[in-house]
């Protein structure tokens, strides 16, 4: 069957039949990992997990407080332990903190044990989406745009190792969600002819 002939429900069913591991979303702060991840999980009838939320819940402190109290290295250690644990779960959708795949052990585990998605957005979009939230310690600087640019330069090659890449600059989550579903379905059903 060609994807162009399939309804959204047929594509979702074809994907779910082949999905044997978690879907992991990676990308910069403000790329929409949590927002899109939640909707993706809902579309697929899967559990949604956010690594930052797991760390915050376990620490009983916000991300900003953890950075302040324990230091960034401790937060990165918690990120690694959390993702290594979560990757052993049955299919679900996992949104990661922007810096999580920078750790090589975490990146390797993501590559081996999940279907990974890089949510890509331009700097203006990232800046706009992160502007109001004070809970991102790395952006509490005079020039957050320069920080985002610098982090993206350093992380681009890491994010690019994800199985698929989807543009999340557009305001609505619906478009990236259906793109992810189609692209994952296509890569898990290589015998079908994609007409995207
Ligand atoms: C970070 C991203 C944040 C959070 C922390 C550090 C980063 O998560 O983990 O502030 O290094 O990019 P989001 O990507 O969900 O904002």
């Amino acid at each position: 069957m060609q994807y162009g002939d399939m309804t959204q429900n047929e594509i979702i069913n074809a994907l779910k039949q082949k999905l044997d591991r978690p879907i992991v979303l990676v990308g910069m702060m403000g790329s929409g990992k949590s927002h899109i991840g939640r909707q993706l999980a809902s579309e697929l009838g899967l559990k949604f997990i956010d690594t930052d939320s797991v760390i915050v819940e376990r620490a009983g402190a916000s991300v900003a407080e953890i950075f302040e109290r324990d230091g960034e290295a401790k937060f990165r250690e918690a990120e690694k332990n959390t993702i290594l644990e979560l990757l052993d779960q049955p299919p679900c959708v996992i949104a990661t903190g922007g810096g999580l795949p920078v750790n090589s052990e975490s990146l390797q585990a993501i590559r081996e044990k999940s279907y990974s998605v890089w949510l890509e957005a331009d700097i203006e979009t990232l800046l706009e989406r992160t502007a109001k939230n004070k809970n991102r310690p790395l952006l509490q600087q005079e020039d957050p745009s320069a920080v985002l640019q610098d982090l993206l330069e350093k992380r681009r090659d890491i994010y690019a190792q994800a199985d698929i890449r989807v543009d999340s600059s557009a305001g609505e989550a619906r478009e990236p969600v259906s793109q992810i579903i189609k692209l994952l379905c296509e890569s898990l059903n290589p015998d079908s002819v994609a007409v995207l």
Side-chain angles (χ1 to χ4, degrees):
M1 191 188 298
Q2 297 198 341
Y3 291 105
D5 300 331
M6 289 165 81
T7 65
Q8 179 74 353
N9 275 347
E10 285 170 337
I11 295 175
I12 287 174
N13 286 336
L15 171 56
K16 286 186 77 172
Q17 270 175 22
K18 291 282 170 79
L19 197 65
D20 57 356
R21 58 185 91 165
I23 298 169
V24 170
L25 306 183
V26 300
M28 290 288 288
M29 295 176 262
S31 59
K33 300 177 297 275
S34 304
H35 183 55
I36 291 167
R38 204 168 277 114
Q39 296 216 17
L40 177 66
S42 154
E43 284 276 319
L44 297 176
L46 296 174
K47 188 166 144 194
F48 172 73
I49 308 164
D50 185 310
T51 58
D52 277 349
S53 303
V54 172
I55 294 168
V56 162
E57 198 175 311
R58 288 178 179 173
S62 69
V63 172
E65 285 163 351
I66 299 171
F67 266 67
E68 172 89 24
R69 190 186 67 191
D70 307 325
E72 181 174 346
K74 278 269 185 220
F75 178 78
R76 299 303 178 193
E77 183 69 19
E79 278 189 317
K80 185 183 81 180
N81 295 336
T82 304
I83 192 68
L84 294 181
E85 180 188 323
L86 293 177
L87 284 169
D88 282 331
Q89 295 209 107
C92 59
V93 177
I94 303 173
T96 58
L100 186 146
V102 173
N103 178 283
S104 56
E105 208 180 319
S106 301
L107 177 62
Q108 196 190 335
I110 289 170
R111 285 169 55 81
E112 283 170 7
K113 295 181 161 186
S114 77
Y115 298 111
S116 51
V117 181
W118 174 18
L119 291 182
E120 203 178 11
D122 54 63
I123 294 289
E124 287 93 85
T125 305
L126 300 177
L127 196 58
E128 200 179 306
R129 292 195 189 141
T130 53
K132 289 194 195 90
N133 189 334
K134 296 274 173 274
N135 195 31
R136 290 188 174 98
L138 298 180
L139 297 183
Q140 303 316 303
Q141 306 283 340
E142 214 167 281
D143 189 354
S145 171
V147 175
L148 284 168
Q149 189 76 59
D150 183 51
L151 286 175
L152 182 56
E153 290 302 313
K154 289 183 176 134
R155 295 174 177 176
R156 193 188 300 276
D157 291 349
I158 292 169
Y159 296 147
Q161 294 182 48
D163 297 312
I164 62 169
R165 174 195 303 209
V166 166
D167 182 5
S168 67
S169 295
E172 288 280 316
R174 205 174 324 130
E175 185 54 28
V177 166
S178 60
Q179 272 295 313
I180 293 169
I181 290 171
K182 274 185 192 165
L183 290 173
L184 281 179
C185 184
E186 189 183 17
S187 68
L188 297 187
N189 294 277
D191 295 339
S192 300
V193 182
V195 184
L196 300 176

